[in-house]
Amino acid sequence: MADALVFAKTGQHLDDLQQAIARGTLQGKKYSEIAQEKHCNESYVRDVGAKLWQTLSEELGEEVKKSNFRSTIQRWQIDHVTNFAQDVVAISSFNTCGQARQPPDIPNQNPQHQTTSNPQQSPTFHHDLSEMPKLGNFSNRTAELELLKTLILTEKAQLLTITGMIGMGKTALGIKLVEEIKHEFEYVIWRSLETCPTVAQLQNNLTEIFTEGDNQTSRLPLMKYLQNHRCLII
């Protein structure tokens, strides 16, 4: 989250050690523990940490240090989400609406049987994006996009919501996000409330996709599939 904060403010990402310091601090680790994990000298880690807190202090307009970093980040998260809701987007499950869908006869543009480089698992990619709208103009959403990617890929957030007024670019942001991170997931499925208006219909539709993807004759509860596969459902 510190990386997303710095990027939103400066347009630059934290380096590997800075991220390790921020992550370790959030986990309550001492500089000595972080130094041991990163195979660095403790004094060097302290110096990098001091510069990181100074950078955050300058960008946030308040004093940030190791002892108050966690509370500062938590407060920034709350304020940032509130501002998104009022201005552009609020980030906390995906709201997919507003643009025309691709015709249902357009073939899936993603590989159905592409395997990863892991020779032990070799999972197959099942990307069903037939209902995803075409991406139109995408601009001035870089910070929000990076925040979403950080929350999903780094922070491992399980449920996010994009909300905001009509025409603010929620759908375009969701589409751009999918395009950039879809190959991180075995299953990527975009579903509209137009085709699955109820929770029961959505669960049934998703279960069918997972059942076919696993080549099973009997259906398991949806939660079992979600636990067994890395999934991105929009």
Side-chain angles (χ1 to χ4, degrees):
M1 183 54 65
D3 182 66
L5 188 157
V6 172
F7 185 87
K9 294 288 185 179
T10 68
Q12 297 180 345
H13 289 286
L14 300 180
D15 61 31
D16 184 62
L17 181 55
Q18 288 174 322
Q19 293 191 42
I21 293 173
R23 183 170 55 252
T25 300
L26 289 175
Q27 295 172 349
K29 295 181 179 180
K30 299 178 180 179
Y31 280 129
S32 58
E33 296 177 287
I34 299 173
Q36 184 176 8
E37 291 178 357
K38 301 303 294 182
H39 306 289
C40 296
N41 183 279
E42 181 180 347
S43 61
Y44 177 66
V45 173
R46 286 182 178 276
D47 290 340
V48 174
K51 293 179 181 179
L52 174 60
W53 310 139
Q54 181 179 354
T55 298
L56 292 174
S57 297
E58 294 173 353
E59 297 304 330
L60 293 177
E62 61 179 283
E63 184 180 10
V64 179
K65 47 189 178 182
K66 193 174 188 298
S67 59
N68 71 350
F69 176 61
R70 178 193 291 272
S71 60
T72 301
I73 286 293
Q74 291 175 339
R75 187 176 67 256
W76 181 83
Q77 283 182 287
I78 295 174
D79 293 342
H80 198 57
V81 169
T82 302
N83 290 337
F84 275 173
Q86 295 175 345
D87 185 22
V88 183
V89 291
I91 299 181
S92 55
S93 289
F94 290 96
N95 178 4
T96 59
C97 60
Q99 299 184 23
R101 295 181 294 137
Q102 294 180 351
D105 58 342
I106 291 182
N108 189 351
Q109 298 177 357
N110 300 281
Q112 293 291 335
H113 300 289
Q114 180 178 351
T115 58
T116 67
S117 59
N118 190 327
Q120 295 180 343
Q121 296 180 351
S122 297
T124 300
F125 288 155
H126 300 275
H127 294 176
D128 186 344
L129 303 178
S130 59
E131 296 189 18
M132 187 175 76
K134 294 181 178 179
L135 179 61
N137 294 329
F138 182 83
S139 60
N140 300 324
R141 295 291 179 269
T142 303
E144 291 88 338
L145 179 63
E146 291 300 322
L147 177 58
L148 282 168
K149 290 165 64 175
T150 298
L151 290 171
I152 294 173
L153 300 178
T154 304
E155 304 294 335
K156 309 299 182 184
Q158 296 183 343
L159 179 63
L160 298 175
T161 305
I162 302 177
T163 63
M165 297 177 61
I166 295 176
M168 299 300 286
K170 301 182 298 296
T171 303
L173 179 59
I175 296 170
K176 186 66 174 178
L177 175 69
V178 170
E179 289 183 348
E180 294 201 4
I181 69 173
K182 60 188 178 183
H183 294 302
E184 298 286 338
F185 300 86
E186 294 176 59
Y187 283 84
V188 181
I189 305 169
W190 183 296
R191 281 295 174 267
S192 169
L193 294 179
E194 295 180 6
T195 55
C196 297
T198 69
V199 173
Q201 288 175 314
L202 177 61
Q203 289 179 325
N204 183 66
N205 181 268
L206 294 177
T207 301
E208 289 181 355
I209 294 175
F210 286 118
T211 301
E212 293 177 0
D214 284 358
N215 295 319
Q216 294 181 336
T217 55
S218 60
R219 294 170 46 154
L220 299 175
L222 177 59
M223 186 57 66
K224 291 293 184 181
Y225 293 112
L226 296 178
Q227 292 172 341
N228 293 335
H229 299 283
R230 183 163 169 77
C231 311
L232 176 64
I233 301 173
I234 309 93

